[in-house]
């Protein structure tokens, strides 16, 4: 390809979720409120786990990390989507687009591995309870979290190494509300079909590997639970149900975006919204509503706050 005649694309145009002004105003209000709930909810969980000594255990350490990751993942795309709903010209700079791709895959890849780590934690707690404190010590937990971030970073950089080399010379419009690899590759001035499949396969391999490991872990846990007492089985199932729900909500959209793309615009937009807004919103709700210890920690915090207020 003669790259000498290629002009440099300095920005891309995002077509957004819809074209109707009335609908955009409605979506602005909805997503602004949802984003506030995402940030406040996940921050509340992190603070609660930090200040309540009853929650200083590997499971809640990992949950605090998941809350941080969810908040960051939503913050990569949602604020830009919200501000674009009130703008006539929905553009994003080339650098901003590359940053979105980098952080979506960095944080998203890290969350996939973190969910596997959380499943491993539940596996050790339920299947090897006598060795739990030895296996899941603080050093091991920190190491596993660092590994999840490292894998996410390596995955994102492997994607960026290819994307940054693509030639862009003309088309600039993406029918979405944020930059993602399949859409950006289509704008490259080259035959991008094979490259698009390769890049999707890169993300798909990570997603499917983590998903299969999760299925194996929870299947083994469920078989172990069936052999235990009814009381322990009920508690284990309650915890695992919350984890499995989060896994399905997170990996479902990922699989349909990267592993089995449907190539239907409105479906792709719905999955992207689900992935970046709905999942980070539901995670804190699922864990707080189904977790007795989190509920008790919230009651202790509320009692402490009211007691301190009365003493002022």
């Amino acid at each position: 390809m003669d790259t000498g005649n290629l002009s440099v694309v300095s920005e891309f145009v995002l077509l957004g979720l819809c074209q109707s002004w009335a609908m955009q105003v409605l979506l602005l209000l909805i997503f602004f409120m949802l984003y506030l709930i995402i940030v406040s909810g996940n921050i509340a969980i992190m603070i609660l786990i930090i200040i309540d000594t009853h929650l200083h255990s590997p499971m809640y350490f990992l949950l605090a990390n998941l809350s941080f990751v969810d908040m960051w993942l939503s913050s990569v795309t949602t604020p830009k989507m919200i501000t674009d709903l009130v703008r006539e010209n929905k553009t994003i700079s080339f650098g901003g687009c590359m940053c979105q791709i980098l952080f979506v895959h960095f944080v998203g890849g890290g969350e996939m591995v973190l969910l596997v780590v959380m499943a491993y934690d539940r596996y050790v707690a339920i299947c090897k309870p006598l060795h739990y404190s030895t296996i899941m010590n603080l050093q091991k937990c920190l190491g596993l979290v660092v590994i999840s971030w490292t894998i996410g970073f390596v995955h994102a950089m492997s994607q960026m190494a290819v994307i940054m080399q693509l030639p862009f010379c003309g088309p600039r419009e993406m029918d979405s509300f944020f930059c993602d690899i399949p859409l950006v590759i289509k704008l490259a001035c080259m035959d991008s079909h094979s490259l698009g499949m390769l890049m999707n396969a890169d993300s798909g391999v990570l997603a499917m590997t983590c998903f299969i490991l999760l299925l194996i872990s929870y299947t083994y846990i469920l078989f172990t639970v069936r052999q235990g007492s009814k009381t322990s089985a009920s508690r284990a199932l309650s915890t695992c149900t919350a984890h499995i729900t989060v896994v399905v909500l997170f990996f479902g959209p990922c699989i349909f975006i990267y592993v089995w793309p449907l190539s239907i615009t409105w479906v792709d937009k719905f999955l992207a919204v689900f992935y970046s807004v709905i999942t980070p919103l539901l995670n804190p709700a699922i864990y707080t509503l189904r977790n007795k210890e989190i509920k008790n920690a919230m009651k202790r915090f509320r009692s402490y706050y009211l007691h301190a207020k009365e003493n002022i």
Side-chain angles (χ1 to χ4, degrees):
M1 179 182 290
D2 180 15
T3 58
N5 294 327
L6 296 180
S7 60
V8 178
V9 173
S10 60
E11 63 181 18
F12 296 102
V13 178
L14 301 172
L15 298 183
L17 293 173
C18 63
Q19 301 301 317
S20 168
W21 174 250
M23 183 60 70
Q24 288 186 61
V25 173
L26 177 61
L27 291 176
L28 168 66
L29 297 174
I30 293 173
F31 286 123
F32 179 72
M33 292 301 299
L34 292 180
Y35 183 64
L36 288 180
I37 296 171
I38 290 169
V39 173
S40 58
N42 283 294
I43 287 178
I45 289 178
M46 288 187 286
I47 292 175
L48 201 61
I49 291 172
I50 291 170
I51 66 174
D52 195 312
T53 56
H54 294 85
L55 301 179
H56 289 180
S57 66
M59 174 181 167
Y60 294 105
F61 171 74
L62 296 174
L63 177 56
N65 276 275
L66 179 65
S67 292
F68 176 72
V69 169
D70 276 332
M71 185 175 64
W72 192 2
L73 180 62
S74 183
S75 297
V76 173
T77 58
T78 308
K80 171 66 176 170
M81 175 182 66
I82 292 171
T83 55
D84 278 349
L85 287 170
V86 294
R87 291 179 179 171
E88 185 175 349
N89 297 319
K90 301 173 176 60
T91 59
I92 184 171
S93 67
F94 181 84
C97 184
M98 294 302 106
C99 283
Q100 275 196 339
I101 292 174
L102 172 64
F103 285 109
V104 163
H105 286 267
F106 174 30
V107 181
E111 180 162 355
M112 290 181 190
V113 182
L114 183 60
L115 289 171
V116 175
V117 172
M118 294 178 74
Y120 174 70
D121 171 72
R122 290 301 85 203
Y123 161 76
V124 176
I126 294 170
C127 301
K128 299 183 179 181
L130 298 179
H131 303 285
Y132 180 70
S133 59
T134 304
I135 297 174
M136 294 302 294
N137 53 52
L138 179 60
Q139 186 177 0
K140 181 74 168 285
C141 288
L142 287 172
L144 290 172
V145 169
V146 170
I147 288 173
S148 71
W149 284 107
T150 302
I151 292 176
F153 180 74
V154 171
H155 165 66
M157 292 307 295
S158 69
Q159 304 269 317
M160 293 303 298
V162 176
I163 292 294
M164 293 296 293
Q165 301 301 318
L166 293 179
F168 298 98
C169 58
R172 299 185 305 141
E173 290 188 349
M174 284 184 278
D175 197 359
S176 183
F177 61 91
F178 78 101
C179 289
D180 200 5
I181 288 176
L183 298 173
V184 173
I185 287 178
K186 290 179 181 178
L187 300 181
C189 298
M190 57 179 288
D191 183 6
S192 59
H193 179 70
S194 298
L195 180 60
M197 292 181 62
L198 179 64
M199 299 297 279
N200 278 350
D202 183 12
S203 298
V205 167
L206 177 61
M208 288 307 299
T209 301
C210 291
F211 189 62
I212 291 170
L213 288 174
L214 286 163
L215 287 179
I216 294 171
S217 298
Y218 286 118
T219 300
Y220 197 93
I221 289 171
L222 291 174
F223 274 117
T224 304
V225 165
R226 286 185 62 186
Q227 300 171 4
S229 64
K230 289 186 178 181
T231 304
S232 60
S234 177
R235 184 177 179 183
L237 282 173
S238 177
T239 303
C240 288
T241 300
H243 285 231
I244 293 170
T245 303
V246 169
V247 167
V248 171
L249 290 174
F250 183 80
F251 280 92
C254 290
I255 289 172
F256 282 109
I257 291 173
Y258 299 109
V259 181
W260 189 18
L262 300 176
S263 300
I264 303 173
T265 302
W266 73 266
V267 175
D268 291 340
K269 289 183 180 182
F270 171 78
L271 292 173
V273 169
F274 200 96
Y275 175 79
S276 59
V277 179
I278 306 302
T279 300
L281 174 72
L282 292 178
N283 281 0
I286 290 169
Y287 280 110
T288 52
L289 293 176
R290 294 191 61 87
N291 191 296
K292 186 177 180 180
E293 291 186 32
I294 289 284
K295 290 180 182 178
N296 291 337
M298 293 174 68
K299 291 177 182 177
R300 286 192 295 270
F301 179 76
R302 185 165 58 247
S303 298
Y304 174 80
Y305 174 76
L306 293 174
H307 181 70
K309 192 175 182 180
E310 289 174 359
N311 293 333
I312 294 176

